Amino acid sequence: MTVTLLAEDGTNGTIRLEGTCSVEDADTLASLIFEDAGRTVDWAACTRMHTAVYQALLRLRPVVRGTCGDTFVDRWLPPPSPEKRGATQT
Amino acid sequence: MNDLLEQFLVETRELVQSATEDLLALEGRPGDAEAVNRVFRAFHTLKGSVGLFDYPPWFALLHAAEDGLSAARAGNLAVDARLIDLSLEALDATARWSDAVEATGRLPDTAAGESSALAERYRSLLSPGPRSTTEATGAVPDWAARLVASMAEAPAGPSTAVRYRPRGDCFFSGDDPLGLVRKVPGLLAVSVEPAMPWPPDGEFDAYACNLDITLLAGAPRPEVEAPFRLVSDQVTVVDVYATGTARPSSASAMDPVVAAILGEQLLAMAAPGDTETAHGRLEACARSAANALRSIGRDADAERCREALERGAASLGPAIEAALAGGGATGPRSDREASGAYERPSGAHGGGTARTLRVDAVRVDALVSQVGELVVARNALGRLAARAEAGENPVTLARAIREADADIGRLATSLHRDAVSLRLMPLSEVFRRFARPVREAARSLGKEVRLDFEGEGTEADKGIVENLFEPLLHVVRNAVDHGLEDTGTRLRLGKPAAGRISIAAGQDGDGIVVSVSDDGRGIDPAFIRRRAVERGLRSRDAVSAMDDVAVTDLIFAPGFSTAGSVGALSGRGVGMDAVRAAAERMGGRVSVESRAGAGTTVALHLPRTVALARVLVVGIGIESYGFAMDAVDEVVRVPRSAIHAVAGGAATVLRGRTLPVLRLADLLDRRYSAGIAMEALLLVVRADGQTVALEIDRLEDRLDAVVRAPSGLVGTVPGVGGTTTLGDGTVLLVVDPAALLANLALVGQGTSGDGR
């Protein structure tokens, strides 16, 4: 399991992506965001993201925290959250 | 223009010329494998030379052409009109681009589009089946334009844009579309967007892919396409070139140099002048403008300027202005169609500027003073004629004529020598071109290489020096690729990490020897034996009977390539047989020496000049052959009883030396019966450190002659090093003793004398 929900006081919780996030993780991630759209996503520890996972983020646009640990995503793909969209595009 | 570029242009034109001739010959005889080979080699060499400079579209075209011809050579692609036409078009483009590079230092703006169109046609010849959808080049689709626009600055060179719309169910088949994008080399930009508008909130299928991925990459198209080969039905690829996003024919796409030239012509036409010179000036302006336009591939505009000239000054000005503004210029394709017949003149112009020769002034001075002496010597003839008319005694007159003849002969000889020396150029011209290919070869193989030069001041005829690069490059690449071990292996063997390659030149009697040595693994005779048998070059028995030296020499046999696989660098099988062929074309030969574990030296022995040689004419049967006098030690008559049969041949003892005796007729494969005279006439010749006695029937003549490298049919006669024309117009074959004996050694009978 590389998608984990961390419950923290005073927040809606953080969805943490860790290590290799495969195609199966996309559904888990989508369900967690659907349950509570206020949850933020922390992708700093994700080292390899499957297309399906990125698609889920692109579709559901949660607030994403940190720099993506997957260097390809960090370098080439815009972070999906509305506030930062386009910020790192070259 | 720097020397390197100048050399490159000269060589390129020659290669285009020879490949064009071969292609045209192939039209008549599609089965001529050697011609296919030569065309392939020409493209191979062109590609290598273009690779020295920064012309990516040109390189891409030649690369595609090489692939096509490589398939034709291997028999995987028919040599038909399509391939020949396409290859001729590729050569045409190459010729035009070299003219453009000479004129402006850069490729025409249309080159990238033309290159990718031609390359695509080669690719479609190779794989006629359905391919990834390819959109017409020239018009960049919107999605690609958006991608380019999204970048902070436009890509510097040509790039490749890919649009990848994965199938909706691709996740189920295990695809990771972005995983493919990760593998694209030279990424410049990536964009991921929903392919269709997302369904309303609350409905989201994480397992259905709804993405439209576009990317831009700076790597060559085949490399960019490679990761997507399994999903090619979902991919669209287009070429985007530097100015491609701007409209190709707009003024901003025009070369600033050309724009400046056009501007100058307008100014010149506007300047006041008398009516007498007006037309000439107009013509000059039109010609300059047309040439400048043609140099950037705007042939239609060039043609328009030429037509406008016929209508007079009032039309020419607006025509040039229109060209400057980019008005009326159409795409590259229609340009070429419109101009059709008009492309030739620019080619002829290019040919005329290519032949230049830089000569030391001292040499010209010496030549001039000798011509002065010749004029004086000629005056003597007039006086002699007057003395003859006065009825002088024929005996004294004859002596005077002989003296005058000797004088003029001496002058003619030294004039020839000095004139030939005008063509001498130092080998450094060739040597310095190796630094870059060696560095790149080493880098692409992950090896460290130190390149040394020696004797680069050695001089040889321009014809030799200019033709040396190609064969030498093959040898050097082979040394880097196959000769040198990788760094790890070298360290393990206690060798320095950096491999050493040394290119050396020196005098070798009348000729020069250019060698390439490496300190690599050497050539393993056992491997060569095995490979020669595998390739069907020799039978198993034959190779085991050959000594190691003869076996090593097999690397020059046609069809022998030591590369286990086709490397980017060498090993396409154009290897060493091409080197031997090139050396022989220049009237030389090539040899190899190798010690397992210690390295290999390949040496090209070449004539230095096309020199006057003293030739001894000998006869066998009804034929005559020439021998270079330098190679002949002596001519002796020995009684037949002094020639003894020994194992594998005959031998005689001459002044305490045992010499093998061979019949020249046998060596040249002429069937004349053995002499029956009591005495045998022996020509003692020396070559390659061997001395042998050749039995001939008679001595005929000795003469001074210009020996030319054999060509045409004569080139295939074994042992013949050149030809010379006799006073009566007949052609004399001049035997090269070294080649004669080398052939003998190849046969592997070890007849090399025991009395060296």
Short mmCIF file of all heavy atoms in Angstrom, two decimals, chain A residues 23-28 30 34 47-52 54-56 58-60 70 72-73 75-78 85 89-90, chain B residues 150-152 171 175-179 181-182 187-190 192 198-204 206-211:
data_model
loop_
_atom_site.label_atom_id
_atom_site.label_comp_id
_atom_site.label_asym_id
_atom_site.label_seq_id
_atom_site.Cartn_x
_atom_site.Cartn_y
_atom_site.Cartn_z
N VAL A 23 -0.84 1.46 -10.83
CA VAL A 23 -2.16 1.73 -11.38
C VAL A 23 -3.26 1.46 -10.36
O VAL A 23 -4.26 2.19 -10.28
CB VAL A 23 -2.35 0.95 -12.71
CG1 VAL A 23 -2.31 -0.56 -12.49
CG2 VAL A 23 -3.65 1.36 -13.41
N GLU A 24 -3.06 0.44 -9.50
CA GLU A 24 -4.07 0.13 -8.48
C GLU A 24 -4.26 1.27 -7.49
O GLU A 24 -5.35 1.50 -6.96
CB GLU A 24 -3.71 -1.13 -7.69
CG GLU A 24 -3.85 -2.43 -8.46
CD GLU A 24 -2.61 -2.77 -9.28
OE1 GLU A 24 -1.63 -1.97 -9.23
OE2 GLU A 24 -2.60 -3.77 -9.97
N ASP A 25 -3.16 2.00 -7.22
CA ASP A 25 -3.23 3.07 -6.23
C ASP A 25 -4.12 4.23 -6.69
O ASP A 25 -4.58 5.04 -5.87
CB ASP A 25 -1.83 3.60 -5.92
CG ASP A 25 -0.97 2.52 -5.28
OD1 ASP A 25 -1.50 1.75 -4.45
OD2 ASP A 25 0.21 2.42 -5.65
N ALA A 26 -4.34 4.30 -8.02
CA ALA A 26 -5.14 5.41 -8.53
C ALA A 26 -6.56 5.37 -7.95
O ALA A 26 -7.11 6.40 -7.56
CB ALA A 26 -5.19 5.33 -10.06
N ASP A 27 -7.13 4.16 -7.89
CA ASP A 27 -8.51 4.03 -7.40
C ASP A 27 -8.58 4.38 -5.92
O ASP A 27 -9.48 5.10 -5.47
CB ASP A 27 -9.00 2.61 -7.66
CG ASP A 27 -10.53 2.56 -7.59
OD1 ASP A 27 -11.18 3.54 -8.06
OD2 ASP A 27 -11.05 1.58 -7.04
N THR A 28 -7.62 3.87 -5.14
CA THR A 28 -7.56 4.18 -3.71
C THR A 28 -7.48 5.69 -3.49
O THR A 28 -8.21 6.26 -2.68
CB THR A 28 -6.31 3.52 -3.08
OG1 THR A 28 -6.13 2.24 -3.67
CG2 THR A 28 -6.44 3.41 -1.58
N ALA A 30 -8.30 8.06 -5.57
CA ALA A 30 -9.54 8.73 -5.99
C ALA A 30 -10.62 8.60 -4.91
O ALA A 30 -11.29 9.59 -4.58
CB ALA A 30 -10.02 8.15 -7.31
N PHE A 34 -12.49 11.58 -2.96
CA PHE A 34 -13.96 11.68 -3.05
C PHE A 34 -14.60 11.75 -1.68
O PHE A 34 -15.56 12.48 -1.47
CB PHE A 34 -14.53 10.48 -3.82
CG PHE A 34 -14.66 10.76 -5.30
CD1 PHE A 34 -14.06 9.95 -6.24
CD2 PHE A 34 -15.42 11.86 -5.75
CE1 PHE A 34 -14.19 10.22 -7.60
CE2 PHE A 34 -15.54 12.12 -7.11
CZ PHE A 34 -14.93 11.31 -8.04
N THR A 47 8.20 7.97 -5.46
CA THR A 47 9.39 7.92 -6.32
C THR A 47 9.05 7.61 -7.76
O THR A 47 9.80 7.92 -8.66
CB THR A 47 10.39 6.88 -5.79
OG1 THR A 47 9.68 5.64 -5.66
CG2 THR A 47 10.98 7.30 -4.48
N ARG A 48 7.89 6.96 -7.97
CA ARG A 48 7.53 6.66 -9.35
C ARG A 48 6.01 6.64 -9.44
O ARG A 48 5.35 5.86 -8.74
CB ARG A 48 8.13 5.32 -9.75
CG ARG A 48 7.53 4.72 -10.99
CD ARG A 48 8.47 4.75 -12.16
NE ARG A 48 7.76 4.38 -13.37
CZ ARG A 48 8.32 4.24 -14.56
NH1 ARG A 48 9.61 4.43 -14.67
NH2 ARG A 48 7.61 3.92 -15.62
N MET A 49 5.47 7.49 -10.27
CA MET A 49 4.02 7.64 -10.34
C MET A 49 3.48 7.07 -11.64
O MET A 49 3.95 7.43 -12.72
CB MET A 49 3.67 9.14 -10.22
CG MET A 49 2.18 9.41 -10.20
SD MET A 49 1.89 11.18 -9.97
CE MET A 49 2.34 11.35 -8.26
N HIS A 50 2.49 6.23 -11.53
CA HIS A 50 1.85 5.67 -12.72
C HIS A 50 0.95 6.72 -13.35
O HIS A 50 0.43 7.60 -12.65
CB HIS A 50 1.03 4.43 -12.35
CG HIS A 50 0.58 3.64 -13.55
ND1 HIS A 50 -0.57 3.93 -14.24
CD2 HIS A 50 1.13 2.57 -14.17
CE1 HIS A 50 -0.71 3.08 -15.25
NE2 HIS A 50 0.32 2.23 -15.22
N THR A 51 0.78 6.60 -14.65
CA THR A 51 -0.07 7.55 -15.38
C THR A 51 -1.46 7.67 -14.76
O THR A 51 -2.02 8.77 -14.66
CB THR A 51 -0.22 7.09 -16.84
OG1 THR A 51 1.08 6.79 -17.35
CG2 THR A 51 -0.86 8.16 -17.69
N ALA A 52 -2.02 6.52 -14.33
CA ALA A 52 -3.37 6.53 -13.77
C ALA A 52 -3.44 7.38 -12.51
O ALA A 52 -4.44 8.05 -12.25
CB ALA A 52 -3.82 5.09 -13.48
N TYR A 54 -1.46 9.97 -11.82
CA TYR A 54 -1.39 11.37 -12.23
C TYR A 54 -2.73 11.83 -12.79
O TYR A 54 -3.20 12.94 -12.53
CB TYR A 54 -0.28 11.58 -13.26
CG TYR A 54 -0.11 13.03 -13.64
CD1 TYR A 54 0.54 13.92 -12.79
CD2 TYR A 54 -0.65 13.52 -14.83
CE1 TYR A 54 0.65 15.26 -13.11
CE2 TYR A 54 -0.53 14.86 -15.16
CZ TYR A 54 0.12 15.72 -14.30
OH TYR A 54 0.23 17.05 -14.63
N GLN A 55 -3.38 10.93 -13.53
CA GLN A 55 -4.67 11.28 -14.11
C GLN A 55 -5.70 11.57 -13.02
O GLN A 55 -6.49 12.52 -13.13
CB GLN A 55 -5.18 10.14 -15.01
CG GLN A 55 -6.54 10.47 -15.62
CD GLN A 55 -7.07 9.37 -16.52
OE1 GLN A 55 -7.16 9.53 -17.72
NE2 GLN A 55 -7.42 8.22 -15.92
N ALA A 56 -5.65 10.78 -11.93
CA ALA A 56 -6.59 11.00 -10.82
C ALA A 56 -6.37 12.38 -10.21
O ALA A 56 -7.32 13.12 -9.91
CB ALA A 56 -6.42 9.91 -9.77
N LEU A 58 -5.02 14.92 -11.75
CA LEU A 58 -5.38 15.92 -12.75
C LEU A 58 -6.90 16.14 -12.76
O LEU A 58 -7.39 17.26 -12.92
CB LEU A 58 -4.91 15.41 -14.13
CG LEU A 58 -4.90 16.39 -15.29
CD1 LEU A 58 -3.87 17.48 -15.06
CD2 LEU A 58 -4.56 15.64 -16.59
N ARG A 59 -7.64 15.03 -12.58
CA ARG A 59 -9.10 15.11 -12.63
C ARG A 59 -9.68 15.74 -11.36
O ARG A 59 -10.56 16.58 -11.43
CB ARG A 59 -9.66 13.69 -12.82
CG ARG A 59 -11.15 13.53 -12.58
CD ARG A 59 -11.95 14.21 -13.69
NE ARG A 59 -13.39 14.10 -13.48
CZ ARG A 59 -14.10 14.97 -12.77
NH1 ARG A 59 -13.50 16.01 -12.20
NH2 ARG A 59 -15.40 14.83 -12.64
N LEU A 60 -9.15 15.32 -10.21
CA LEU A 60 -9.79 15.69 -8.94
C LEU A 60 -9.18 16.94 -8.30
O LEU A 60 -9.76 17.51 -7.38
CB LEU A 60 -9.75 14.50 -7.98
CG LEU A 60 -10.41 13.24 -8.59
CD1 LEU A 60 -10.16 12.02 -7.72
CD2 LEU A 60 -11.92 13.46 -8.78
N ASP A 70 8.96 12.02 -7.59
CA ASP A 70 9.23 11.44 -8.90
C ASP A 70 9.79 12.56 -9.77
O ASP A 70 9.07 13.49 -10.15
CB ASP A 70 7.93 10.89 -9.48
CG ASP A 70 8.14 10.22 -10.83
OD1 ASP A 70 9.16 10.49 -11.49
OD2 ASP A 70 7.27 9.43 -11.23
N PHE A 72 10.68 12.87 -12.78
CA PHE A 72 10.08 13.11 -14.10
C PHE A 72 8.84 13.99 -13.97
O PHE A 72 8.66 14.97 -14.70
CB PHE A 72 9.73 11.78 -14.77
CG PHE A 72 8.91 11.95 -16.03
CD1 PHE A 72 9.51 12.29 -17.22
CD2 PHE A 72 7.53 11.79 -16.00
CE1 PHE A 72 8.76 12.47 -18.38
CE2 PHE A 72 6.78 11.96 -17.13
CZ PHE A 72 7.38 12.30 -18.33
N VAL A 73 7.99 13.62 -13.00
CA VAL A 73 6.75 14.39 -12.80
C VAL A 73 7.09 15.81 -12.38
O VAL A 73 6.53 16.79 -12.90
CB VAL A 73 5.85 13.70 -11.76
CG1 VAL A 73 4.61 14.55 -11.47
CG2 VAL A 73 5.45 12.31 -12.23
N ARG A 75 9.79 17.50 -12.97
CA ARG A 75 10.45 18.30 -13.99
C ARG A 75 9.48 18.67 -15.13
O ARG A 75 9.53 19.77 -15.66
CB ARG A 75 11.62 17.49 -14.54
CG ARG A 75 12.28 18.04 -15.81
CD ARG A 75 13.21 19.19 -15.47
NE ARG A 75 13.82 19.78 -16.66
CZ ARG A 75 13.23 20.63 -17.48
NH1 ARG A 75 12.00 21.01 -17.23
NH2 ARG A 75 13.84 21.12 -18.54
N TRP A 76 8.62 17.74 -15.52
CA TRP A 76 7.90 17.93 -16.76
C TRP A 76 6.39 18.18 -16.63
O TRP A 76 5.79 18.73 -17.54
CB TRP A 76 8.10 16.71 -17.69
CG TRP A 76 9.52 16.55 -18.10
CD1 TRP A 76 10.39 15.59 -17.69
CD2 TRP A 76 10.27 17.40 -18.97
NE1 TRP A 76 11.62 15.78 -18.26
CE2 TRP A 76 11.57 16.88 -19.05
CE3 TRP A 76 9.95 18.56 -19.69
CZ2 TRP A 76 12.57 17.48 -19.82
CZ3 TRP A 76 10.95 19.15 -20.46
CH2 TRP A 76 12.24 18.62 -20.52
N LEU A 77 5.78 17.73 -15.55
CA LEU A 77 4.33 17.83 -15.50
C LEU A 77 3.90 18.92 -14.52
O LEU A 77 4.50 19.08 -13.45
CB LEU A 77 3.73 16.49 -15.07
CG LEU A 77 4.12 15.32 -15.97
CD1 LEU A 77 3.46 14.03 -15.49
CD2 LEU A 77 3.75 15.59 -17.42
N PRO A 78 2.90 19.69 -14.90
CA PRO A 78 2.44 20.73 -13.98
C PRO A 78 1.75 20.09 -12.77
O PRO A 78 1.02 19.11 -12.93
CB PRO A 78 1.42 21.50 -14.83
CG PRO A 78 1.03 20.55 -15.93
CD PRO A 78 2.17 19.64 -16.15
N ARG A 85 -0.98 25.47 -10.52
CA ARG A 85 -0.97 24.95 -11.88
C ARG A 85 -0.12 25.83 -12.81
O ARG A 85 -0.28 27.03 -12.86
CB ARG A 85 -2.40 24.88 -12.41
CG ARG A 85 -2.45 24.14 -13.71
CD ARG A 85 -3.86 23.71 -14.01
NE ARG A 85 -3.96 23.31 -15.40
CZ ARG A 85 -3.48 22.17 -15.86
NH1 ARG A 85 -2.90 21.33 -15.03
NH2 ARG A 85 -3.59 21.88 -17.13
N GLN A 89 6.04 24.93 -15.10
CA GLN A 89 6.16 24.58 -16.52
C GLN A 89 7.30 25.36 -17.16
O GLN A 89 7.47 26.54 -16.91
CB GLN A 89 4.86 24.92 -17.22
CG GLN A 89 4.80 24.35 -18.60
CD GLN A 89 3.38 24.17 -19.07
OE1 GLN A 89 2.48 24.60 -18.39
NE2 GLN A 89 3.20 23.52 -20.18
N THR A 90 8.05 24.69 -18.00
CA THR A 90 9.20 25.35 -18.62
C THR A 90 8.84 25.96 -19.95
O THR A 90 8.05 25.42 -20.66
CB THR A 90 10.33 24.34 -18.86
OG1 THR A 90 9.78 23.22 -19.55
CG2 THR A 90 10.95 23.92 -17.59
N SER B 150 4.44 27.10 -25.69
CA SER B 150 4.47 27.02 -24.23
C SER B 150 5.88 27.15 -23.69
O SER B 150 6.09 27.39 -22.51
CB SER B 150 3.87 25.69 -23.77
OG SER B 150 4.81 24.65 -23.97
N MET B 151 6.88 26.97 -24.57
CA MET B 151 8.25 27.03 -24.08
C MET B 151 8.69 28.47 -23.96
O MET B 151 8.29 29.32 -24.74
CB MET B 151 9.18 26.28 -25.03
CG MET B 151 8.85 24.80 -25.06
SD MET B 151 9.82 23.93 -26.27
CE MET B 151 11.46 24.21 -25.64
N ALA B 152 9.59 28.69 -22.99
CA ALA B 152 10.06 30.05 -22.74
C ALA B 152 10.79 30.56 -23.99
O ALA B 152 10.63 31.71 -24.39
CB ALA B 152 11.01 30.07 -21.54
N PHE B 171 -4.81 1.01 -19.59
CA PHE B 171 -4.31 0.59 -18.27
C PHE B 171 -4.53 -0.90 -18.05
O PHE B 171 -3.75 -1.55 -17.38
CB PHE B 171 -5.00 1.38 -17.15
CG PHE B 171 -4.68 2.85 -17.14
CD1 PHE B 171 -5.54 3.75 -16.53
CD2 PHE B 171 -3.53 3.33 -17.73
CE1 PHE B 171 -5.25 5.11 -16.52
CE2 PHE B 171 -3.24 4.68 -17.72
CZ PHE B 171 -4.11 5.58 -17.12
N ASP B 175 -0.38 -0.83 -19.90
CA ASP B 175 0.39 0.32 -20.38
C ASP B 175 0.52 1.38 -19.30
O ASP B 175 -0.37 1.57 -18.49
CB ASP B 175 -0.32 0.98 -21.57
CG ASP B 175 -0.19 0.15 -22.84
OD1 ASP B 175 0.55 -0.86 -22.80
OD2 ASP B 175 -0.81 0.51 -23.83
N ASP B 176 1.67 2.05 -19.33
CA ASP B 176 1.86 3.23 -18.49
C ASP B 176 2.30 4.33 -19.45
O ASP B 176 3.49 4.50 -19.70
CB ASP B 176 2.92 2.95 -17.42
CG ASP B 176 3.16 4.15 -16.52
OD1 ASP B 176 2.47 5.18 -16.70
OD2 ASP B 176 4.05 4.09 -15.66
N PRO B 177 1.35 5.07 -20.03
CA PRO B 177 1.72 6.03 -21.09
C PRO B 177 2.85 6.97 -20.69
O PRO B 177 3.77 7.20 -21.48
CB PRO B 177 0.42 6.78 -21.34
CG PRO B 177 -0.64 5.78 -20.99
CD PRO B 177 -0.10 5.01 -19.82
N LEU B 178 2.78 7.53 -19.48
CA LEU B 178 3.86 8.45 -19.08
C LEU B 178 5.18 7.70 -18.96
O LEU B 178 6.25 8.28 -19.12
CB LEU B 178 3.51 9.15 -17.77
CG LEU B 178 2.40 10.20 -17.90
CD1 LEU B 178 2.05 10.76 -16.52
CD2 LEU B 178 2.82 11.33 -18.82
N GLY B 179 5.09 6.40 -18.67
CA GLY B 179 6.31 5.59 -18.60
C GLY B 179 7.04 5.60 -19.94
O GLY B 179 8.27 5.60 -19.98
N VAL B 181 6.79 8.10 -22.13
CA VAL B 181 7.29 9.46 -22.31
C VAL B 181 8.62 9.63 -21.57
O VAL B 181 9.52 10.32 -22.05
CB VAL B 181 6.25 10.48 -21.82
CG1 VAL B 181 6.81 11.90 -21.89
CG2 VAL B 181 4.97 10.36 -22.62
N ARG B 182 8.74 8.96 -20.40
CA ARG B 182 9.99 9.05 -19.64
C ARG B 182 11.19 8.60 -20.47
O ARG B 182 12.32 9.02 -20.23
CB ARG B 182 9.94 8.14 -18.41
CG ARG B 182 9.03 8.61 -17.30
CD ARG B 182 8.88 7.51 -16.27
NE ARG B 182 7.67 7.72 -15.48
CZ ARG B 182 7.69 8.24 -14.24
NH1 ARG B 182 8.83 8.57 -13.69
NH2 ARG B 182 6.57 8.43 -13.59
N LEU B 187 13.93 15.41 -24.14
CA LEU B 187 12.64 16.06 -23.92
C LEU B 187 12.80 17.57 -23.79
O LEU B 187 13.74 18.05 -23.16
CB LEU B 187 12.00 15.54 -22.63
CG LEU B 187 11.03 14.37 -22.72
CD1 LEU B 187 10.45 14.10 -21.35
CD2 LEU B 187 9.93 14.64 -23.73
N LEU B 188 11.89 18.31 -24.41
CA LEU B 188 11.91 19.76 -24.27
C LEU B 188 10.66 20.27 -23.56
O LEU B 188 10.71 21.25 -22.86
CB LEU B 188 11.99 20.42 -25.65
CG LEU B 188 13.26 20.10 -26.45
CD1 LEU B 188 13.12 20.58 -27.88
CD2 LEU B 188 14.47 20.74 -25.79
N ALA B 189 9.54 19.62 -23.80
CA ALA B 189 8.30 20.03 -23.16
C ALA B 189 7.32 18.87 -23.18
O ALA B 189 7.35 18.04 -24.09
CB ALA B 189 7.70 21.23 -23.90
N VAL B 190 6.49 18.81 -22.15
CA VAL B 190 5.46 17.78 -22.09
C VAL B 190 4.16 18.46 -21.67
O VAL B 190 4.18 19.36 -20.84
CB VAL B 190 5.81 16.69 -21.05
CG1 VAL B 190 4.74 15.60 -21.04
CG2 VAL B 190 7.16 16.08 -21.34
N VAL B 192 0.08 17.34 -20.56
CA VAL B 192 -0.91 16.27 -20.35
C VAL B 192 -2.26 16.94 -20.13
O VAL B 192 -2.40 17.78 -19.23
CB VAL B 192 -0.54 15.40 -19.14
CG1 VAL B 192 -1.56 14.29 -18.95
CG2 VAL B 192 0.85 14.83 -19.32
N TRP B 198 -13.90 16.09 -18.94
CA TRP B 198 -14.17 15.15 -17.84
C TRP B 198 -15.67 15.00 -17.66
O TRP B 198 -16.40 15.98 -17.83
CB TRP B 198 -13.55 15.66 -16.53
CG TRP B 198 -12.05 15.74 -16.53
CD1 TRP B 198 -11.32 16.87 -16.44
CD2 TRP B 198 -11.13 14.66 -16.61
NE1 TRP B 198 -10.00 16.58 -16.47
CE2 TRP B 198 -9.84 15.22 -16.57
CE3 TRP B 198 -11.27 13.27 -16.71
CZ2 TRP B 198 -8.69 14.45 -16.64
CZ3 TRP B 198 -10.12 12.51 -16.77
CH2 TRP B 198 -8.85 13.10 -16.74
N PRO B 199 -16.14 13.81 -17.30
CA PRO B 199 -17.57 13.66 -16.98
C PRO B 199 -17.88 14.49 -15.71
O PRO B 199 -16.95 14.87 -14.99
CB PRO B 199 -17.73 12.16 -16.73
CG PRO B 199 -16.35 11.63 -16.52
CD PRO B 199 -15.41 12.56 -17.20
N PRO B 200 -19.15 14.77 -15.46
CA PRO B 200 -19.50 15.61 -14.30
C PRO B 200 -18.91 15.05 -13.01
O PRO B 200 -18.65 13.86 -12.91
CB PRO B 200 -21.03 15.54 -14.26
CG PRO B 200 -21.47 14.85 -15.50
CD PRO B 200 -20.31 14.29 -16.20
N ASP B 201 -18.69 15.96 -12.05
CA ASP B 201 -18.13 15.57 -10.75
C ASP B 201 -18.86 14.37 -10.18
O ASP B 201 -20.06 14.24 -10.34
CB ASP B 201 -18.24 16.75 -9.76
CG ASP B 201 -17.05 17.67 -9.93
OD1 ASP B 201 -16.07 17.25 -10.62
OD2 ASP B 201 -17.08 18.79 -9.40
N GLY B 202 -18.14 13.55 -9.48
CA GLY B 202 -18.77 12.38 -8.87
C GLY B 202 -18.64 11.17 -9.74
O GLY B 202 -18.74 10.05 -9.26
N GLU B 203 -18.42 11.39 -11.02
CA GLU B 203 -18.20 10.24 -11.89
C GLU B 203 -16.74 10.25 -12.31
O GLU B 203 -16.29 11.15 -13.00
CB GLU B 203 -19.06 10.34 -13.15
CG GLU B 203 -20.52 10.07 -12.91
CD GLU B 203 -21.30 10.24 -14.21
OE1 GLU B 203 -20.82 9.73 -15.23
OE2 GLU B 203 -22.35 10.90 -14.18
N PHE B 204 -16.00 9.27 -11.87
CA PHE B 204 -14.60 9.19 -12.28
C PHE B 204 -14.17 7.75 -12.27
O PHE B 204 -14.27 7.07 -11.26
CB PHE B 204 -13.71 10.03 -11.36
CG PHE B 204 -12.25 9.88 -11.70
CD1 PHE B 204 -11.77 10.23 -12.95
CD2 PHE B 204 -11.35 9.36 -10.76
CE1 PHE B 204 -10.43 10.08 -13.26
CE2 PHE B 204 -10.02 9.22 -11.08
CZ PHE B 204 -9.55 9.58 -12.33
N ALA B 206 -11.12 5.63 -12.43
CA ALA B 206 -9.66 5.74 -12.33
C ALA B 206 -8.96 4.82 -13.32
O ALA B 206 -7.79 5.01 -13.61
CB ALA B 206 -9.20 5.43 -10.90
N TYR B 207 -9.68 3.82 -13.81
CA TYR B 207 -9.03 2.84 -14.69
C TYR B 207 -9.26 3.12 -16.17
O TYR B 207 -8.84 2.35 -17.03
CB TYR B 207 -9.49 1.42 -14.34
CG TYR B 207 -9.04 1.00 -12.98
CD1 TYR B 207 -9.94 0.38 -12.10
CD2 TYR B 207 -7.75 1.22 -12.56
CE1 TYR B 207 -9.52 0.01 -10.84
CE2 TYR B 207 -7.33 0.85 -11.30
CZ TYR B 207 -8.22 0.24 -10.43
OH TYR B 207 -7.82 -0.13 -9.18
N ALA B 208 -9.99 4.20 -16.48
CA ALA B 208 -10.16 4.55 -17.89
C ALA B 208 -9.23 5.72 -18.22
O ALA B 208 -9.27 6.75 -17.55
CB ALA B 208 -11.61 4.95 -18.14
N CYS B 209 -8.44 5.53 -19.20
CA CYS B 209 -7.48 6.59 -19.54
C CYS B 209 -8.15 7.60 -20.45
O CYS B 209 -8.74 7.25 -21.47
CB CYS B 209 -6.26 5.99 -20.24
SG CYS B 209 -4.96 7.20 -20.52
N ASN B 210 -8.10 8.85 -20.07
CA ASN B 210 -8.70 9.91 -20.86
C ASN B 210 -7.68 11.05 -20.99
O ASN B 210 -7.90 12.16 -20.54
CB ASN B 210 -9.99 10.38 -20.17
CG ASN B 210 -10.64 11.54 -20.92
OD1 ASN B 210 -10.56 11.60 -22.14
ND2 ASN B 210 -11.24 12.46 -20.18
N LEU B 211 -6.53 10.70 -21.57
CA LEU B 211 -5.46 11.69 -21.61
C LEU B 211 -4.99 11.94 -23.03
O LEU B 211 -5.05 11.07 -23.90
CB LEU B 211 -4.26 11.23 -20.77
CG LEU B 211 -4.51 11.09 -19.26
CD1 LEU B 211 -3.27 10.53 -18.59
CD2 LEU B 211 -4.90 12.43 -18.65
#
